[in-house]
Amino acid sequence: MAIPFSYNFRNLRVRKTTTVMTALGIALTVAVLLGIMAMVVGLNVALQATGHPLQMIVVRKNSNSELGSQVAREALLSIKYKDGIQKFPNGEPMVSGEIVRVINLPRKNNPEGANVNIRGLSQLGIEMRPGIRLAEGNWFEPGQREIVVGQSIALRYVNAALGDTLRFGRGDWKIVGVLDAGKTAFDNEIWGELNQIASDFNQNETLSSVLVRATDPIALEALKNSMADDQRLYLDAKSEVEYYSQLTSSADPVKFLGVFVAIIMAIGSSFAAMNTMYAAVVRRAREIGTLRVLGFSRGSILLSFVVESLLLSLLGGLFGVLLVIPLNGLKSGIGNFGTTFSEIGFDFRITPFIVLVGIAFATIMGIFGGLLPARTAAKQDILNALREL
Amino acid sequence: MENNLVIETVDLHKEYKRDEFQVIALQNANLQIHKGEFVALMGPSGSGKSTLLYLIAAIDRPSQGRVRVLGQDLQQLSDKEIAHWRNEHVGFVFQTFNLIPVLTARENVELPLLLTNLSKKERIEHAETALKLVALSDRMTHYPRQLSGGQEQRVAIARAIVTDPALILADEPTGDLDAHSAQEVLTILTKLNQEHGKTVVMVTHDPHAARYASKIRYLEKGELLPEGSPPPA
């Protein structure tokens, strides 16, 4: 049988200041990693969940985003009558011409403001996005200076709640509804009627993009190829899901930096744990010698010190998880996000998986930090150990 | 070999290398201790008495010669086998008690039993019996820091006898104790020898302590003096 856990546990308790200091170092490392992961998971949910699997976004060739694209209004007619496009029950093709522009709005915690996407679209465009519903109020009426804002906008921006008035373009716009896009990218947009937005932004000749729904996945591919091959139209088509997923790659540098910082901190924390454990081995040399005299093997001593290091790091992991749990559900945003040049709002998400990653990360630090001191303890000569003061 | 021979050393020799110097700690020691004897090993500092005790306990390995304890040639055992053998057959008492400070008296005594197949309940029963034997029933849940030196050494003796070993080895067991506590410890060792039939080998500087033994063997400059020799000057 191994040396009992209570031996390790009580030793950690006896040197509680060192234990807490080392565990806090590990906790901060775990917290940094988990904070970054919670942000990335939140962003992924915001962007990857956006889009219908049979829909594609048509933009001008070589444009990476709707914002940098201009599609002539005549092209809309050519697209509408292509084969493989799904139709509404009334026979109308599922094709929605849309305009996307950026405006700057003051945020509640940042009066200098952030960029927000304005989307001008028709009733067709709304119906092609069945995952989106009104959380409050009504949809905008054609011919009225009315807008509907995403939930994330309503929460985080000044005067952006239902019934408020926002000033952009050529004047004031009344907020008549708040849309719930299920935490997808549309929660960060303001929607208005296509022609109203077009005239306010002086964009009557062109659209930014065209949203098209195919009848099936094969037709989707065929349509994409047909758009790309049509030299006259000079367009590119991407599946809607793919388009929003690609935007998540804009978070890659943040993700990389976060993981890099966490790894550097982890190495530091492992050395701190190692230092603590080496000190423990030196201080308890005579105890180690005594345990050997009593009949405990080198293996039991090794295991005991690794277990102690693990207990220490798991305590740190637990502190780390507790530190980041308040972040769960916290609303934040990344400004000038990727090619949309607008802010993407997202919720930090501490999922059970993230908690497990934090504990696993702490475990690795514990094993790495504990193994060498434990080996030193196990290899000690009994007589030399007994002679230590 | 005689049936009641517990310890037999043949031409036992131990050398240490200290920096570039070779130090002879013990040379050609031939010792025989029989079952039920209480032997005191005496001699000045550096005479090799503790070295001899550590070689008998297999805590150290001889440079030359042979140690046979309870019929077992110790040099034939691996490190792991020695640990197991020691746990089963030898109880060791240190001068500085060497209790584990974070464990209670009962947990300290229970430690060697963790290496046996006894159940938790049986381990506790054995530990409590051992503590009763050293008259510490009322200190079972005390930590070492809550005990006096004499009480700590009695816990250490309980730990040494809890596996019911045939042989008890004590290295200066009264060296850190006041006269009263020393006498208590020596009385317990005598009782273990006389009433429980344990063979006891005790290293000591103290002639008063040595008087509790049934036989005294002297060492001087690494040599074991012949039986019946007077103490070295």
Side-chain angles (χ1 to χ4, degrees), chain A residues 176-198:
Chain A
V176 294
V178 175
L179 61 85
D180 174 4
K183 312 263 181 224
T184 62
F186 298 124
D187 267 335
N188 300 288
E189 291 188 349
I190 296 175
W191 288 7
E193 203 266 327
L194 176 67
N195 292 327
Q196 287 290 328
I197 299 286

Side-chain angles (χ1 to χ4, degrees), chain A residues 134 138-140 146-150 176-179 189-192:
Chain A
L134 275 176
N138 304 300
W139 287 108
F140 44 81
E146 291 178 345
I147 48 172
V148 168
V149 298
V176 294
V178 175
L179 61 85
E189 291 188 349
I190 296 175
W191 288 7

Side-chain angles (χ1 to χ4, degrees), chain B residues 53-80:
Chain B
L53 195 75
Y54 288 139
L55 290 172
I56 293 167
I59 290 171
D60 205 357
R61 299 254 189 189
S63 309
Q64 283 169 38
R66 211 156 59 79
V67 190
R68 196 173 172 82
V69 180
L70 296 160
Q72 176 66 55
D73 272 327
L74 298 185
Q75 49 275 25
Q76 288 175 355
L77 300 179
S78 68
D79 266 9
K80 203 171 179 174

